[in-house]
Amino acid sequence: MAVMVAATAGYAQYNEQDIRDYIVQYADVAVKKMYEYKIPASITVAQGIFESACGKSRLATEGNNHFGIKCHTEWMGDTILIDDDELQECFRKYASVEESYNDHSLFLTTRKRYANLFELDIMDYASWARTLKQDGYATNPQYADRLISLIERFNIASLDTLYQQRYGGWPATVTETKPVAQETKPNTGSTSAPKPSKPGKKVFTAIGSEYPSDQSPFTYRKVFKNNNTYFVIAEKGDTYEKIAQDILVMSDNLRKFNDAGPGDEPVENEIVYVEAKSRGNAMRVHTVQAGETLRYISQRYGVQLRYILKYNMLEDNAVIHPGDQILLRR
């Protein structure tokens, strides 16, 4: 589906594949700028997509300006005139896109109005998006929502995780959590890794062909979609940690996305969501079958378990029985 935007360069048209291509093309420079200036790579790329129409706007094609930065009084470089809020406004013109990315970082780090950005958690892209809008980066009232939507729909936050992996010691952090988990178990003398889901516990599996497939720039794994939520299918021997490393997501987040319990690991062909599930499903009610659990229903319909509990006024440890009616949306 094509998207038409009125960015700082007038109208430009782009589609979902253009967005994915843009993410791949500029992921590395955004991660480098995150290391140098402590600006979330996800925010940088999302702004680049939105402000430049995936590099297709006139401002981007003729001026290499991917962030809609106007001249301002201190700018001594080349300029380009574009109709924006007013006719023939002055925008900065760069020799390369990389120069635009660097100037974007300097623009945010050297202006007092954006100082409060750097008090935020570098991994909290939503707060960064809202604060950017609050601080006056853009006049579009939906600016923050647009950035957040782009980041979540196309899993751009994976770039922030990539930054952690390269520069922040993410693999060491994951490794260090293992002994803690083992120490909380009864002393049985065993040092084996967490076991897959217990025998007899029903899990929701898929072969993939019954779901629409998609591509992701962050993983070699085939990605599918259920209830507007992306997932992969676990392979034999997979763990949440292994899948997390493959798709550049923190393993703790992957467990949260899938409502996995302590010690649980996916079994072969089990659905593993790589982003947060939806808050509801068009199928309003599910009738419980033998062996099903609330988590199974959550995974089957791509609805967050906490919302299923909320809609049905159930506690975390609630037991369901065959024939029970479970609401899947408000």
Side-chain angles (χ1 to χ4, degrees):
M1 183 180 74
V3 179
M4 188 78 77
V5 297
T8 52
Y11 285 95
Q13 191 173 40
Y14 60 96
N15 56 37
E16 290 191 2
Q17 189 57 50
D18 292 328
I19 295 174
R20 297 184 189 282
D21 291 343
Y22 188 96
I23 295 168
V24 172
Q25 185 172 1
Y26 296 109
D28 194 55
V29 65
V31 171
K32 287 180 180 177
K33 296 307 168 189
M34 185 172 182
Y35 171 70
E36 293 172 358
Y37 295 98
K38 300 300 180 286
I39 300 168
S42 58
I43 286 292
T44 300
V45 170
Q47 283 192 282
I49 291 169
F50 186 64
E51 295 285 351
S52 76
C54 288
K56 293 177 175 289
S57 69
R58 183 185 160 211
L59 183 58
T61 57
E62 298 182 19
N64 285 320
N65 187 331
H66 279 226
F67 299 96
I69 299 179
K70 296 181 181 180
C71 295
H72 301 285
T73 55
E74 75 275 13
W75 180 246
M76 302 298 292
D78 291 338
T79 63
I80 182 173
L81 298 178
I82 301 283
D83 292 345
D84 189 41
D85 294 331
E86 299 178 6
L87 296 177
Q88 295 295 281
E89 290 197 77
C90 182
F91 287 86
R92 301 182 183 189
K93 184 177 181 180
Y94 306 101
S96 67
V97 177
E98 288 74 13
E99 186 179 319
S100 174
Y101 268 72
N102 194 66
D103 193 46
H104 168 261
S105 299
L106 291 172
F107 189 80
L108 293 182
T109 54
T110 58
R111 289 177 171 264
K112 290 183 178 180
R113 69 190 296 180
Y114 300 117
N116 56 348
L117 285 170
F118 299 91
E119 298 175 3
L120 303 172
D121 184 343
I122 196 171
M123 301 299 290
D124 187 358
Y125 61 81
S127 291
W128 274 76
R130 296 188 185 101
T131 304
L132 271 171
K133 174 63 182 76
Q134 172 188 304
D135 290 347
Y137 190 96
T139 57
N140 188 327
Q142 296 181 327
Y143 192 76
D145 292 336
R146 292 284 184 89
L147 295 185
I148 294 169
S149 176
L150 275 171
I151 291 169
E152 294 181 346
R153 184 177 180 187
F154 293 94
N155 198 25
I156 307 176
S158 296
L159 298 182
D160 300 336
T161 305
L162 183 59
Y163 155 81
Q164 284 190 316
Q165 184 177 2
R166 288 185 184 178
Y167 306 111
W170 175 58
T173 302
V174 174
T175 302
E176 289 166 4
T177 63
K178 288 182 178 179
V180 175
Q182 291 173 357
E183 288 169 4
T184 61
K185 297 179 180 180
N187 184 12
T188 61
S190 171
T191 58
S192 59
K195 297 178 180 180
S197 300
K198 298 178 180 63
K201 181 184 287 187
K202 192 171 184 178
V203 298
F204 188 62
T205 59
I207 59 174
S209 60
E210 67 267 44
Y211 293 96
S213 61
D214 209 332
Q215 294 180 333
S216 169
F218 306 109
T219 178
Y220 69 89
R221 292 178 184 253
K222 197 165 186 178
V223 179
F224 303 91
K225 185 183 286 188
N226 178 32
N227 195 28
N228 294 316
T229 307
Y230 289 109
F231 71 87
V232 298
I233 297 176
E235 301 170 358
K236 186 175 182 179
D238 265 343
T239 63
Y240 284 114
E241 184 176 319
K242 182 178 185 300
I243 296 173
Q245 290 176 340
D246 286 346
I247 63 175
L248 301 180
V249 171
M250 295 291 286
S251 59
D252 285 349
N253 288 342
L254 200 63
R255 286 182 168 277
K256 183 178 179 181
F257 296 156
N258 292 275
D259 298 295
D264 282 349
E265 296 294 350
V267 300
E268 187 176 7
N269 294 326
E270 183 176 353
I271 275 184
V272 178
Y273 291 99
V274 299
E275 60 181 348
K277 289 175 284 189
S278 298
R279 297 186 178 186
N281 190 290
M283 181 78 70
R284 186 171 185 272
V285 178
H286 171 77
T287 302
V288 178
Q289 305 297 312
E292 291 181 348
T293 63
L294 288 167
R295 179 179 181 265
Y296 173 91
I297 296 169
S298 168
Q299 294 292 92
R300 174 176 175 176
Y301 291 101
V303 180
Q304 294 180 43
L305 179 57
R306 66 191 181 105
Y307 284 101
I308 291 179
L309 293 173
K310 180 179 179 180
Y311 300 151
N312 294 274
M313 294 183 287
L314 296 171
E315 301 294 332
D316 289 346
N317 59 352
V319 177
I320 56 177
H321 305 89
D324 287 350
Q325 301 287 296
I326 300 298
L327 294 176
L328 302 173
R329 58 186 171 89
R330 191 183 297 277

